Amino acid sequence: MSIDIETAARVAKLARIKVDKDELPELAHAFNDILGFIEQLGEVDVDGVEPMVSVTPMRLKRRADGVTDGNIQDKVLKNAPDAREGFFAVPKVVE
């Protein structure tokens, strides 16, 4: 696939990037370089290679999936400007 000057101008317009007309050939060339690199990546043989989640072989720490109330209601409400009966108090917004 090749990007011409008109396509580069359209991409710049869609991306809302102001590009002068004399800079469009350079932009089209840059787009073509990027597409060429992507085509090179498509030629790599990846059969039998598992997808990676991270570059380091680490497992995420697991925790028990249990429902709790947090046991920190007092700490949470301590910073509230107005708290009543264990809840945030907010002004009425519907008349």
Side-chain angles (χ1 to χ4, degrees), residues 14-84:
L14 291 173
R16 299 184 190 276
I17 299 171
K18 183 179 179 182
V19 179
D20 294 330
K21 288 186 178 186
D22 57 335
E23 295 176 348
L24 285 174
E26 184 179 342
L27 181 64
H29 181 62
F31 283 154
N32 286 321
D33 288 345
I34 293 169
L35 290 175
F37 181 71
I38 292 171
E39 287 177 6
Q40 284 181 353
L41 290 176
E43 296 172 3
V44 176
D45 181 24
V46 293
D47 291 336
V49 178
E50 290 187 34
M52 292 177 23
V53 177
S54 174
V55 294
T56 57
M58 295 174 49
R59 289 200 42 99
L60 296 175
K61 295 179 180 177
R62 306 276 184 198
R63 64 171 175 80
D65 191 14
V67 178
T68 66
D69 63 357
N71 298 324
I72 57 169
Q73 181 181 17
D74 294 334
K75 289 181 183 178
V76 172
L77 292 175
K78 183 172 102 176
N79 294 324
D82 189 9
R84 297 182 196 151

